[in-house]
Amino acid sequence: MPAFPEAAHEAVHNQTLRGNLRHATHTIRAKRANAVAEVSDWAELREAGKQIKDHTLRHLDRYLVQLEESVTAAGGTVHWAADADEANRIVTSLVKATGESEVVKVKSMATQEIGLNEALEAEGVNAYETDLAELIVQLGKDRPSHILVPAIHRNRGEIREIFAREMSEWGRPAPEGLTDTPAELADAARLHLREKFLRAKVGVSGANFMVAETGTLVVVESEGNGRMCLTLPETLISVVGIEKIVPTWQDLEVFLQTLPRSSTAERMNPYTSMWTGTTDEDGPRAFHLVLIDNGRTDTLADEVGRQALRCIRCSACLNVCPVYERAGGHAYGSVYPGPIGAILSPQLRGTESEIDASLPYASSLCGACYEVCPVAIDIPEVLVHLRERVVQGGAVTREGAKVVLKPAKGHAAERAAMRAARWAFGRPGVLRTGQRLASRTRRFHPRTLPGPGRAWSETRSLPAVPAEPFRDWWQRTKGGQETRGGKDTSK
Amino acid sequence: MRVALFLTCVNDTLYPDTGRAVVKLLTKLGVDVDFPMAQTCCGQAHYNTGYRHEAEPLARHFSDVFGGYDAIVTPSGSCGAMVRELYPRMGERARAEGRGDGLATALAPVVPKTYELTEFLVDVLKVTDVGAYYPHTVTYHPTCHGLRSLGLGDRPRRLLQAVRGLELKELPGADECCGFGGTFALKNSDVSAAMGADKVRNAESTGADVLCAADNSCLMHIGGTMTRLRTGMRPVHIAEILASTEEERA
Ligand code: SF4
C-alpha cells in the first residue's frame, strides 16, 4: 500500500472521480447542516454522546462482562476475538458448522476491517453483500471508498455497467436493456438480492450499538435489506468491535438522534432493527456474537488517541473534509477513510508501515471534521499526537504490552530542519542575521525550490523576499516614529 | 495599557508591510504599541508537524518575551490560535508526562492576553469603524484557525463593512480550507494545490479585485496560486486594508 501522498496523486488528477466525490459530499454536507440546525439542543446531544461514550470506554471491562451475561441469558453465544485472524477463524467455523456454503451480509465495517469475505472465500464460502452500495463495490471487484456510501466514487453510468456485466456471474442477471435511472438500478438490485435472501440460511452482520443491560444489538440502515438478513436466515452471526457498547437502552436515545442526522441528514433512519438473543419461532434460531478487539484495547491505553473509539461511524467528517474530497477514500489504504480513518487506522494497526505513518499527515488541520463530529472527537488533536509518534517515536501499547517505538524512517532531514529552526528561533540575533541574508540575496532567489520544496513551487509562485524585514524597519525608524501620522519613507 | 505586537516569524521576514500596517492602525487608534525585539516564533510549525518537544522552548521564549504586557496583538489567526488553544494543551501534556507544572505555569500568563488583530479591535478597543478608506471590491476568506480555533465570527466582516469605498463580495465556500496547512502544503502537495486552485476559482467567481484574509500564510498559498492561474486578483492582509486612508491611497 503506497503512502497517502502517492495514492492521492492519481485521484487528484482523475476528473471523473473528483467530480463524483465533489458532487456527493457537497450535497450531503448541505443537507446535514440543515438537519442539524433543526435540533435546538444539538450541542447538548453532542456533549451527551461524548460523555456516554467516554464513560463506557472507561468501564469497558465491566460493561463487556455485563453484555456477555445478558446475551447468554437471552439465548445467544458470545465469542471473543483478540485480532482479525481469530475473528475470521471463529466466524468461518461457525458457518461451516451449519453445512452452508453461502452467507448474506448486512453492511458492516467490522467485517471489512478483518477481511472476513476473503477469509470465507478461502474456505469455500461465498459472502454476498446486500447493502446496495456495498453490492456495487463487491460486483465491481472494487474497494469501498466511503464509510456510509461505499460506492460514492461511482456514478450511475458506471453502476449500470457493473450490474449488466457482473450480476449474472453470481445469481439473477440484470434485466435486458437496463438503463442508468435510479429506479431501474434499484429494481435490478432488488430482484438480484431477493433470491439471495430467500435462499440464505446464514446471515452475517455488524452492529451500530450493543446494549449491555439487555444484550440487545442495534443496526440502523436506510434500505431494509439489512432487516432481511437479520430475520430470514436460521443462523445469525454478528461481528462487532468491543467499543460499540452502550450501558443502557436509554442511552440509545441520544445516538438515534445524532447518527441519522449526521450521516444521511435524515431525522430518523428508515430502518432500526434490534434483536436480543433468540426468540422461539421468530427470527434466527441460533445467534452468535463475535466481539473483536483488533487493536482497540491498545488504542484505549492512549490518553489522547482513545477518543477515536467514540466514533459512531456516521461519516460526517468525511463529507466535510477537503482532503477526502480531493483524494478519495481509496488513498487512505484502509476500510476507514477520511479524517476518522487517518486517526483510527494508525492506532488500530500501528504507525510502522509507510501508509500508516503517512495518514496522520493527510490533513491540513482545518478542523472541519471536529466541528461536525456528533461525539466531539478532536480529530486534529489526535492527528498531531500521532504525528509526534511518527517523527519522535515513544511509548505505545501493542497487544497489551508497553513498547517503545523508534521514530519512523525518512524524517531525518525534516527533524534536522526543525531542530535548526528551533535553535535559530531561540536566538533572535541568529534569526535576524538569516533575515538580512535573505533580503540581501533576494535577487538571486530561485522561483522554484529544490528538494522537498519543489512540489510547492510547481503549482504556486513563491513570494518575493522584501528588501527589509520588519524588525530592521522598526529599529531604523524607532518603531515607525518618523512615519507615524506621516508618510512611510521606507519604500 | 502596554500592548505588544507579536508579528510572527512569517510576517516579520516575508510580509513586513503587514507589520507596518498594524503599527499604523493601532497608533491611529491611540494605542502605544511596542515590538519586543527578542520575539521569534510561536512554534506552531514544529508543534503541528509532530515536534512538540522542539516547540516547547519556543513557547517558553514567547512567554518570557511577552509575559509582561497587558495585551499581545497578532495579525495571524493561526499563530494566535497556537498560543490560545495549544499552549494550554502543551502545559497539560507536560504535566501528564510527569514533568510537573513548570511549563503550564510558564505559559499561562500569555494565553488570555493574546488577541488576533480583529478581535483586539472589536473586543478590546470596541471599534468596528477604524476610519479606513479602500476603494476596491474585496472578498473575504475566513481562514480555518481564525474561524474554528479562535472563533473570530463576523468580526473581520464587520470591520470590512465599515471601510469607506470598499465593496464586500461573499466568497462561495468561504469556510473551506485553502489547502495551506503549514507543512501539509509540502507533504501533500497535490491535494494542497487542488484545494488552493478551488479556493482561487471561487474567489474569482465573485468578481472581486482583492482577496483578503487575516493570515499571511494562507495568503501566501492563495496568492501563489493566483499568480500561477493568472487571475489578476491580489491577496491582501486585512490589516493593510484597515490601515489604508484617503490620504495615502492603497
Ligand atoms: S469521527 Fe465523528 S464525524 Fe467522523 S465518522 Fe466518527 S462519529 Fe462521525
Side-chain angles (χ1 to χ4, degrees):
Chain A
M1 194 57 75
F4 184 84
E6 286 89 72
H9 177 82
E10 252 171 65
V12 168
H13 295 100
N14 178 339
Q15 292 306 326
T16 314
L17 178 65
R18 284 261 310 265
N20 293 351
L21 283 168
R22 186 182 163 75
H23 176 74
T25 57
H26 280 248
T27 310
I28 185 76
R29 186 187 297 191
K31 282 198 197 157
R32 187 212 76 100
N34 289 335
V36 165
E38 279 180 0
V39 184
S40 58
D41 58 348
W42 185 260
E44 284 89 350
L45 282 171
R46 185 180 189 239
E47 180 60 26
K50 172 187 170 187
Q51 296 215 1
I52 292 168
K53 282 284 182 179
D54 278 352
H55 166 86
T56 314
L57 290 168
R58 217 165 23 245
H59 304 288
L60 196 59
D61 47 353
R62 198 174 88 208
Y63 287 122
L64 283 169
V65 170
Q66 193 189 0
L67 177 78
E68 181 177 34
E69 285 165 6
S70 356
V71 170
T72 313
T77 312
V78 176
H79 310 259
W80 300 85
D83 57 20
D85 284 346
E86 193 174 0
N88 286 331
R89 268 201 308 277
I90 294 169
V91 179
T92 313
S93 64
L94 287 171
V95 175
K96 295 202 125 182
T98 66
E100 293 297 316
S101 62
E102 52 181 45
V103 303
V104 284
K105 283 189 69 202
V106 185
K107 176 181 169 342
S108 137
M109 299 303 295
T111 57
Q112 273 172 31
E113 177 188 322
I114 59 174
L116 179 64
N117 291 7
E118 293 76 9
L120 285 172
E121 200 188 315
E123 295 290 324
V125 177
N126 285 327
Y128 296 117
E129 295 291 348
T130 64
D131 171 84
L132 181 55
E134 205 66 66
L135 174 74
I136 296 165
V137 169
Q138 190 177 38
L139 290 175
K141 300 183 184 62
D142 200 356
R143 285 183 294 128
S145 69
H146 190 276
I147 292 180
L148 203 78
V149 202
I152 195 170
H153 56 299
R154 299 289 200 184
N155 60 33
R156 284 191 274 131
E158 293 173 292
I159 294 167
R160 191 210 74 85
E161 213 254 312
I162 292 169
F163 278 9
R165 197 181 60 221
E166 298 290 338
M167 273 184 171
S168 59
E169 285 272 312
W170 303 104
R172 187 183 172 117
E176 286 289 321
L178 177 70
T179 73
D180 69 355
T181 59
E184 279 193 36
L185 292 174
D187 220 39
R190 188 175 302 125
L191 292 170
H192 181 81
L193 288 172
R194 182 124 318 180
E195 280 186 4
K196 301 241 155 68
F197 291 138
L198 292 174
R199 204 170 58 209
K201 297 278 186 290
V202 183
V204 173
S205 86
N208 294 87
F209 306 100
M210 304 184 285
V211 181
E213 66 172 356
T214 56
T216 306
L217 272 72
V218 185
V219 157
V220 297
E221 41 139 5
S222 301
E223 295 166 4
N225 290 340
R227 175 164 295 181
M228 304 278 241
C229 304
L230 295 167
T231 48
L232 292 176
E234 285 164 12
T235 303
L236 174 59
I237 305 167
S238 300
V239 183
V240 191
I242 52 173
E243 83 285 15
K244 290 287 174 92
I245 203 164
V246 294
T248 69
W249 187 270
Q250 206 185 346
D251 296 320
L252 294 174
E253 167 198 26
V254 172
F255 302 109
L256 293 183
Q257 292 181 73
T258 52
L259 178 55
R261 285 184 198 261
S262 301
S263 55
T264 46
E266 286 164 312
R267 295 185 174 126
M268 198 181 166
N269 58 285
Y271 293 89
T272 302
S273 302
M274 301 182 169
W275 65 102
T276 311
T278 55
T279 309
D280 286 340
E281 289 165 47
D282 187 18
R285 254 151 285 159
F287 170 59
H288 296 273
L289 172 59
V290 182
L291 290 168
I292 55 171
D293 184 320
N294 208 31
R296 285 163 175 76
T297 46
D298 291 343
T299 304
L300 196 56
D302 187 294
E303 272 173 51
V304 179
R306 65 169 63 133
Q307 56 186 305
L309 297 177
R310 280 188 219 140
C311 176
I312 56 173
R313 314 277 189 261
C314 71
S315 73
C317 58
L318 279 65
N319 297 329
V320 297
C321 178
V323 176
Y324 174 84
E325 184 191 325
R326 273 94 187 171
H330 293 159
Y332 293 81
S334 92
V335 296
Y336 304 106
I340 182 62
I343 61 168
L344 195 56
S345 306
Q347 293 199 84
L348 295 180
R349 304 190 299 207
T351 46
E352 288 85 344
S353 74
E354 218 187 317
I355 175 79
D356 286 313
S358 73
L359 287 177
Y361 291 95
S363 166
S364 64
L365 303 181
C366 80
C369 49
Y370 177 30
E371 194 175 56
V372 297
C373 177
V375 284
I377 301 172
D378 191 340
I379 295 175
E381 179 187 24
V382 183
L383 287 166
V384 170
H385 174 66
L386 294 173
R387 289 176 183 190
E388 190 178 321
R389 181 173 302 170
V390 170
V391 297
Q392 313 236 293
V396 294
T397 308
R398 281 278 141 226
E399 286 164 30
K402 278 249 179 275
V403 293
V404 178
L405 287 183
K406 285 212 269 311
K409 289 197 196 80
H411 286 82
E414 176 189 282
R415 194 156 34 241
M418 287 289 174
R419 290 229 171 101
R422 201 261 285 148
W423 183 81
F425 285 138
R427 292 156 185 79
V430 176
L431 171 63
R432 191 161 180 191
T433 310
Q435 285 176 333
R436 287 200 176 139
L437 193 66
S439 290
R440 272 198 213 118
T441 57
R442 68 199 189 104
R443 275 181 227 297
F444 309 113
H445 288 184
R447 301 303 277 177
T448 50
L449 290 171
R454 191 173 51 84
W456 165 279
S457 53
E458 261 169 14
T459 48
R460 284 146 291 200
S461 300
L462 291 166
V465 175
E468 183 184 46
F470 178 87
R471 65 184 63 223
D472 285 3
W473 170 82
W474 177 272
Q475 206 171 38
R476 183 171 57 75
T477 63
K478 304 198 179 51
Q481 293 285 348
E482 284 101 88
T483 64
R484 287 186 188 183
K487 273 236 163 267
D488 185 348
T489 50
S490 66
K491 285 191 202 168
Chain B
M1 184 162 67
R2 294 187 66 224
V3 177
L5 170 61
F6 164 45
L7 196 54
T8 86
C9 51
V10 170
N11 288 327
D12 179 8
T13 311
L14 294 172
Y15 299 96
D17 287 350
T18 299
R20 285 198 284 265
V22 178
V23 173
K24 185 172 140 194
L25 175 63
L26 292 180
T27 308
K28 184 172 126 187
L29 294 171
V31 178
D32 194 7
V33 48
D34 189 18
F35 179 81
M37 289 293 270
Q39 67 176 276
T40 55
C41 168
C42 64
Q44 188 194 181
H46 293 79
Y47 185 91
N48 280 346
T49 313
Y51 299 88
R52 177 165 55 95
H53 294 282
E54 303 286 337
E56 284 181 5
L58 297 175
R60 273 181 186 271
H61 180 73
F62 182 95
S63 244
D64 291 345
V65 172
F66 289 103
Y69 290 90
D70 302 312
I72 303 146
V73 180
T74 178
S76 162
S78 64
C79 299
M82 175 69 191
V83 176
R84 284 242 300 272
E85 192 183 22
L86 302 180
Y87 279 13
R89 204 170 273 178
M90 286 167 86
E92 273 164 41
R93 293 281 292 143
R95 201 181 281 146
E97 285 167 357
R99 290 190 280 132
D101 290 339
L103 188 64
T105 313
L107 301 186
V110 291
V111 174
K113 294 191 293 194
T114 301
Y115 298 90
E116 186 278 334
L117 174 67
T118 64
E119 269 181 328
F120 184 73
L121 295 172
V122 176
D123 298 0
V124 181
L125 298 185
K126 312 229 180 290
V127 286
T128 42
D129 185 350
V130 296
Y133 173 75
Y134 194 78
H136 296 283
T137 325
V138 176
T139 190
Y140 175 71
H141 167 58
T143 81
C144 301
H145 288 124
L147 187 71
R148 301 197 184 88
S149 307
L150 291 177
L152 294 184
D154 64 352
R155 291 179 186 84
R157 304 241 322 278
R158 273 155 66 198
L159 288 159
L160 289 171
Q161 266 154 357
V163 172
R164 270 167 289 282
L166 185 148
E167 193 192 338
L168 194 61
K169 296 275 192 187
E170 281 305 319
L171 177 64
D175 60 355
E176 284 169 38
C177 178
C178 70
F180 175 62
T183 44
F184 174 75
L186 294 174
K187 287 180 185 280
N188 279 288
S189 177
D190 290 307
V191 178
S192 165
M195 287 161 71
D198 287 348
K199 178 62 71 183
V200 168
R201 276 185 214 110
N202 280 338
E204 234 185 332
S205 76
T206 66
D209 334 316
V210 167
L211 177 135
C212 136
D215 208 313
N216 273 328
S217 305
C218 310
L219 286 169
M220 171 171 75
H221 169 74
I222 296 171
T225 309
M226 282 175 171
T227 311
R228 282 304 163 94
L229 298 177
R230 300 177 203 283
T231 57
M233 277 183 100
R234 280 185 300 140
V236 177
H237 194 285
I238 191 168
E240 293 170 47
I241 294 180
L242 298 177
S244 299
T245 53
E246 192 131 18
E247 300 89 67
E248 329 158 25
R249 305 260 311 245

